[in-house]
């Protein structure tokens, strides 16, 4: 049931206006399982209209060519308005997502505003370089925006993911056509409306709604989309690579899936580690890319830690995302919950011991119990597959060498956590881990937006956040002048 004060539009946002279109996809609330509204599915013509609007906005406003300080000021104004509208944005998000409105309002939104300001600050500080050429010539490396960036976001943190895409692309002087997930469209749509209210040129931020195979594919393949920035599953990332290879080579940033290990050594602070392990898998019901879904523990502390985790995994109480402040999140869809359960049951059939959980909560909505599986070998599906739910495996090791063997994943390399008081060990093992991020004696991102995030191996290509994300939205041109 829709919230009486929310406008859940069945429309795209193109050229600074809502463009109503017939409903093609139903949107449901994972908290209740009920329909909350519907959205259109943009076809090639609608995607073309959005890309054309983006190009027109760049031409008429000279967004990328004007004083960079103007970009900076406009983006700061947008960030201010996002904070001012936090309550509406949070409700538009929580009505169909797995994020509690209260947490979106107090966490995701201020952090997103902060990140937009962070990227805005690069606009008037990053510059090209002079090249060390002989006296007879003058060489320099100029950098420039791409033009229109095509961005595609997942459902798990809709506003945050939209911010990661829009912030650096706009600060770097580009226009964006963004497709949010078909399951969580409305907060992103409203972000775009706020961009125009804040004074960004109409057409600089365009939102097309629709699914991956139709709308996403059309966006990626559009000849005037100069760069693609994608966050989602490794499977969809592969489809996008294929699409780009077929329809015209262009640069892409891909932030993909993971199966991240959290390793606890015998000398770790166990209170700190237990807290971090829980925070590493249970927020958003484990539906975050860097979730620490493989817990690896030294055999000497395994029993103690397993007991503590079992107690902590029994504690969460589900909440309705529109009302709760700290209630446990639902799984995004019933279908996804069934997939999670199928992997858990397959894991048990292959010999895993269920320490806790292993079934849904007995209530409306798609809530799955925090689940811990022990006695799993390297080929158990709970160890190999990205589950994207509140499910962790619990394995033990006897020494560093075995710990590193277990930590390495054949496919993924997104993040890893190390818990030890031995700094030499932490640094030694950090070097060995084939992951894009390593956290030591903590698990999860901080507000240090300067640290880029992104995967190694099949977990991704390129980075979000950090200076790297800004630079990934600009391209260089080498200029050589004979004097
Ligand atoms: P998904 O891949 O199913 O969908 C992501 C987005 O891609 C959606 O907007 C979807 O409509 C679109 N899409 C799907 N197929 C497409 C195609 N063929 N062409 C173009 N677009 C297509 O992922 P999801 O279920 O929304 O999100 C969960 C996944 O995202 C997990 O694998 C998670 O690890 C990953 N993720 C990664 C990061 C990161 O920073 N590495 C962050 C968040 C989520």
């Amino acid at each position: 049931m829709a919230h009486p004060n929310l406008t859940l539009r069945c429309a795209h946002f193109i050229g600074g206006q809502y463009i109503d279109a017939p409903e093609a996809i139903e949107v449901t609330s994972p908290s209740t399982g009920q329909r909350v509204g519907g959205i259109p599915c943009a076809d090639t013509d609608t995607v073309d209209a959005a890309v054309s609007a983006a190009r027109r906005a760049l031409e008429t406003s000279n967004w990328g060519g004007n004083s960079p300080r103007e970009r900076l000021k406009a983006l700061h104004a947008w960030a201010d308005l996002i904070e001012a509208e936090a309550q509406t944005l949070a409700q538009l998000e929580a009505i169909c997502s797995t994020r509690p409105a209260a947490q979106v309002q107090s966490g995701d939104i201020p952090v997103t505003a902060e990140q937009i300001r962070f990227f805005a600050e690069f606009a008037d500080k990053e510059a090209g370089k002079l090249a060390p050429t002989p006296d007879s010539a003058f060489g320099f490396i100029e950098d420039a925006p791409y033009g229109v960036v095509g961005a595609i976001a997942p459902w798990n943190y809709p506003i945050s993911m939209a911010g990661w895409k829009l912030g650096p692309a706009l600060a770097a002087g580009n226009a964006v056509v963004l497709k949010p997930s078909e399951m969580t469209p409305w907060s992103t749509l409203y972000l775009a409306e706020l961009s125009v209210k804040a004074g960004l040129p109409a057409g600089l931020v365009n939102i097309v709604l629709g699914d991956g195979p139709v709308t996403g594919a059309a966006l990626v393949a559009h000849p005037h989309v100069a760069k693609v920035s994608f966050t989602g599953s490794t499977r969809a990332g592969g489809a996008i690579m294929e699409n780009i290879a077929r329809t015209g080579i262009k640069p892409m940033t891909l932030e993909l899936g993971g199966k991240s290990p959290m390793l606890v050594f015998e000398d770790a602070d166990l209170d700190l580690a237990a807290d971090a392990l829980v925070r590493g898998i249970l927020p958003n019901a484990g539906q975050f890319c860097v979730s620490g879904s493989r817990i690896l523990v030294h055999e000497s502390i395994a029993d103690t830690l397993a007991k503590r985790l079992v107690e902590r995994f029994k504690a969460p109480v589900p909440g309705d995302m529109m009302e709760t402040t700290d209630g446990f999140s639902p799984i995004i869809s019933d279908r996804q919950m069934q997939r999670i359960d199928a992997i858990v049951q397959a894991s048990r059939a292959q010999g895993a011991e269920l320490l806790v959980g292993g079934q849904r909560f007995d209530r409306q909505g798609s809530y799955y119990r925090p689940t811990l599986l022990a006695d799993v070998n390297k080929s158990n599906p709970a160890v190999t597959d990205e589950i994207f739910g509140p499910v962790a495996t619990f394995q033990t090791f006897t020494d560093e060498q075995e710990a590193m063997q277990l930590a390495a994943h054949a496919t993924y390399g997104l993040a890893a956590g190390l818990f030890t008081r031995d700094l030499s060990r932490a640094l030694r093992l950090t070097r060995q881990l084939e992951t894009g991020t390593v956290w030591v004696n903590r698990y999860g991102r901080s507000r240090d937006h300067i640290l880029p995030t992104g995967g190694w191996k099949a977990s991704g290509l390129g980075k979000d956040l950090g200076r790297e994300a800004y630079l990934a939205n600009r391209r260089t041109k080498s200029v050589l002048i004979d004097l």
Side-chain angles (χ1 to χ4, degrees), residues 152-157 161 164-165 179-183 210-220 230-240 243 254-258 287-290 332 336 386 388 412 414 445 453-455 459-460 464:
I152 299 178
W155 53 263
N156 61 339
Y157 292 85
M161 294 296 103
W164 283 16
K165 301 296 175 202
K179 190 196 91 59
S181 167
E182 56 275 32
M183 292 186 269
D211 68 10
V214 175
T215 310
L219 181 57
V220 165
F230 171 77
T231 297
S233 61
T234 296
R235 178 196 48 75
I240 285 170
N243 189 351
L254 302 177
E255 297 296 347
L256 308 176
Q287 300 166 108
F288 55 110
C289 55
V290 293
I332 186 66
Q336 170 63 5
E386 185 186 44
F388 225 58
Y412 297 116
L414 197 53
R445 293 191 185 92
T453 180
S459 288
D464 275 335

Side-chain angles (χ1 to χ4, degrees), residues 339-349 352 354 357-359 368 371 373 380-382 387 391:
R339 180 184 163 268
I340 292 171
D341 192 54
I343 297 177
V344 170
Q345 302 319 330
S347 166
R348 295 178 72 189
L354 181 69
Q359 56 180 305
Y368 201 80
T371 298
L373 294 159
N380 189 287
I387 299 178
V391 180

